[in-house]
Amino acid sequence: MNALRILIVDDHVVVREGLARILSGTGEGWSVSEASGGFQALDRLRREPADLVIVDLSMPGMGGLELIRRIRSEFGRTAVLVLSMHAEEQYAIRAFKAGANGYLTKDTASTELLKAVRKVMAGGAHVSADLAERVVLQ
Protein backbone atom coordinates (compact mmCIF):
# COMPACT_ATOMS: atom_id res chain seq x y z
CA MET A 1 0.00 0.00 0.00
CA ASN A 2 1.27 3.47 -0.85
CA ALA A 3 1.95 6.00 1.87
CA LEU A 4 -0.91 8.32 2.66
CA ARG A 5 -0.61 11.69 0.88
CA ILE A 6 -1.97 14.56 2.97
CA LEU A 7 -2.38 18.23 2.06
CA ILE A 8 -2.82 20.72 4.91
CA VAL A 9 -4.65 23.93 3.94
CA ASP A 10 -4.53 26.74 6.51
CA ASP A 11 -3.58 30.40 6.25
CA HIS A 12 -1.54 30.26 9.47
CA VAL A 13 2.03 28.99 9.06
CA VAL A 14 2.39 27.83 12.66
CA VAL A 15 -0.79 25.72 12.37
CA ARG A 16 0.41 24.10 9.13
CA GLU A 17 3.86 23.40 10.57
CA GLY A 18 2.42 21.95 13.78
CA LEU A 19 0.03 19.68 11.91
CA ALA A 20 2.79 18.59 9.54
CA ARG A 21 4.98 17.61 12.52
CA ILE A 22 2.18 15.62 14.14
CA LEU A 23 1.28 13.82 10.90
CA SER A 24 4.86 13.19 9.80
CA GLY A 25 5.77 11.91 13.24
CA THR A 26 3.48 8.89 13.16
CA GLY A 27 6.18 6.62 11.76
CA GLU A 28 3.73 5.52 9.07
CA GLY A 29 5.57 7.28 6.25
CA TRP A 30 2.78 9.72 5.49
CA SER A 31 3.68 12.34 2.90
CA VAL A 32 2.59 15.81 4.04
CA SER A 33 2.44 18.99 1.97
CA GLU A 34 1.03 22.42 2.72
CA ALA A 35 -0.98 25.20 1.07
CA SER A 36 -1.79 28.61 2.51
CA GLY A 37 -5.21 28.96 0.90
CA GLY A 38 -7.88 27.50 -1.36
CA PHE A 39 -6.49 28.58 -4.72
CA GLN A 40 -3.01 27.32 -3.87
CA ALA A 41 -4.53 24.06 -2.63
CA LEU A 42 -6.38 23.43 -5.89
CA ASP A 43 -3.25 24.22 -7.90
CA ARG A 44 -1.21 21.83 -5.76
CA LEU A 45 -3.86 19.07 -6.03
CA ARG A 46 -3.83 19.36 -9.82
CA ARG A 47 -0.05 18.80 -9.80
CA GLU A 48 0.25 16.43 -6.83
CA PRO A 49 -2.89 14.43 -5.97
CA ALA A 50 -3.61 13.85 -2.29
CA ASP A 51 -5.58 11.16 -0.51
CA LEU A 52 -6.68 13.53 2.25
CA VAL A 53 -6.98 17.30 2.51
CA ILE A 54 -7.15 18.88 5.96
CA VAL A 55 -8.98 22.19 5.53
CA ASP A 56 -9.49 25.26 7.69
CA LEU A 57 -12.88 26.93 7.16
CA SER A 58 -11.85 30.56 7.75
CA MET A 59 -9.29 31.63 5.17
CA PRO A 60 -8.92 34.77 3.06
CA GLY A 61 -9.72 34.46 -0.64
CA MET A 62 -11.47 31.15 -1.12
CA GLY A 63 -13.00 29.97 2.15
CA GLY A 64 -13.01 26.39 3.33
CA LEU A 65 -16.59 25.57 2.35
CA GLU A 66 -16.00 26.63 -1.26
CA LEU A 67 -12.72 24.69 -1.28
CA ILE A 68 -14.52 21.56 -0.05
CA ARG A 69 -17.12 21.91 -2.83
CA ARG A 70 -14.37 22.35 -5.44
CA ILE A 71 -12.40 19.35 -4.13
CA ARG A 72 -15.59 17.25 -4.21
CA SER A 73 -16.29 18.36 -7.78
CA GLU A 74 -12.79 18.07 -9.21
CA PHE A 75 -11.16 15.39 -7.02
CA GLY A 76 -14.12 13.27 -5.93
CA ARG A 77 -12.09 10.48 -4.33
CA THR A 78 -10.03 12.81 -2.16
CA ALA A 79 -11.17 12.77 1.47
CA VAL A 80 -11.65 16.06 3.33
CA LEU A 81 -11.20 16.59 7.06
CA VAL A 82 -12.08 20.03 8.45
CA LEU A 83 -9.97 21.41 11.28
CA SER A 84 -11.58 24.66 12.39
CA MET A 85 -11.65 27.12 15.25
CA HIS A 86 -15.46 27.08 14.99
CA ALA A 87 -16.97 24.74 17.58
CA GLU A 88 -20.57 25.66 16.81
CA GLU A 89 -22.56 22.82 15.30
CA GLN A 90 -23.85 24.87 12.35
CA TYR A 91 -20.30 25.06 10.96
CA ALA A 92 -19.93 21.28 11.10
CA ILE A 93 -23.31 20.79 9.45
CA ARG A 94 -22.36 23.19 6.62
CA ALA A 95 -19.02 21.42 6.17
CA PHE A 96 -20.66 17.99 5.89
CA LYS A 97 -23.25 19.35 3.46
CA ALA A 98 -20.40 20.74 1.33
CA GLY A 99 -18.85 17.27 1.24
CA ALA A 100 -16.49 16.97 4.21
CA ASN A 101 -15.77 13.51 5.62
CA GLY A 102 -14.88 14.72 9.10
CA TYR A 103 -14.91 17.76 11.36
CA LEU A 104 -12.62 18.64 14.26
CA THR A 105 -11.98 21.82 16.18
CA LYS A 106 -8.49 23.25 16.61
CA ASP A 107 -8.56 22.51 20.34
CA THR A 108 -8.50 18.78 19.49
CA ALA A 109 -5.68 16.67 20.91
CA SER A 110 -3.23 15.17 18.45
CA THR A 111 -4.46 11.66 19.30
CA GLU A 112 -7.99 12.65 18.23
CA LEU A 113 -6.61 14.14 15.00
CA LEU A 114 -4.78 10.91 14.15
CA LYS A 115 -7.89 8.86 14.99
CA ALA A 116 -9.94 11.08 12.68
CA VAL A 117 -7.41 10.76 9.83
CA ARG A 118 -7.42 6.98 10.09
CA LYS A 119 -11.22 6.77 10.33
CA VAL A 120 -11.80 9.05 7.33
CA MET A 121 -9.20 7.20 5.26
CA ALA A 122 -10.94 3.92 6.12
CA GLY A 123 -14.10 5.31 4.53
CA GLY A 124 -15.84 6.52 7.67
CA ALA A 125 -16.99 9.91 8.85
CA HIS A 126 -15.59 11.56 11.96
CA VAL A 127 -16.92 14.14 14.36
CA SER A 128 -15.97 14.58 18.00
CA ALA A 129 -18.35 13.01 20.52
CA ASP A 130 -19.04 16.42 22.08
CA LEU A 131 -19.95 18.01 18.76
CA ALA A 132 -22.06 15.00 17.72
CA GLU A 133 -24.03 15.24 20.95
CA ARG A 134 -24.68 18.96 20.42
CA VAL A 135 -25.90 18.33 16.85
CA VAL A 136 -28.28 15.61 18.02
CA LEU A 137 -29.63 17.76 20.87
CA GLN A 138 -30.10 20.81 18.63
Side-chain angles (χ1 to χ4, degrees):
M1 182 174 143
N2 292 333
L4 183 61
R5 299 165 299 174
I6 303 170
L7 174 62
I8 301 166
V9 187
D10 194 295
D11 57 318
H12 296 97
V13 175
V14 71
V15 172
R16 290 193 315 266
E17 288 178 351
L19 289 171
R21 282 200 182 118
I22 291 167
L23 296 167
S24 297
T26 63
E28 297 183 49
W30 293 349
S31 169
V32 181
S33 59
E34 303 172 25
S36 61
F39 294 108
Q40 186 183 35
L42 291 173
D43 183 54
R44 178 144 303 148
L45 287 168
R46 289 178 188 122
R47 291 182 286 116
E48 305 167 24
D51 303 301
L52 172 67
V53 181
I54 298 176
V55 176
D56 183 16
L57 288 184
S58 299
M59 297 182 291
M62 181 189 306
L65 292 175
E66 178 61 22
L67 177 58
I68 295 166
R69 288 184 198 100
R70 303 263 307 258
I71 290 170
R72 237 349 109 239
S73 171
E74 197 171 332
F75 311 97
R77 296 181 64 136
T78 300
V80 177
L81 177 62
V82 172
L83 186 63
S84 176
M85 67 179 182
H86 301 290
E88 298 85 6
E89 43 287 341
Q90 68 264 22
Y91 288 97
I93 292 167
R94 286 184 202 137
F96 281 110
K97 285 183 178 177
N101 303 90
Y103 191 97
L104 295 170
T105 57
K106 287 186 176 177
D107 63 354
T108 297
S110 60
T111 53
E112 179 81 8
L113 171 67
L114 296 174
K115 177 181 169 187
V117 167
R118 290 181 180 105
K119 187 172 182 183
V120 165
M121 291 314 304
H126 185 86
V127 64
S128 69
D130 179 56
L131 185 59
E133 184 176 332
R134 289 196 319 266
V135 168
V136 169
L137 295 175
Q138 194 179 35

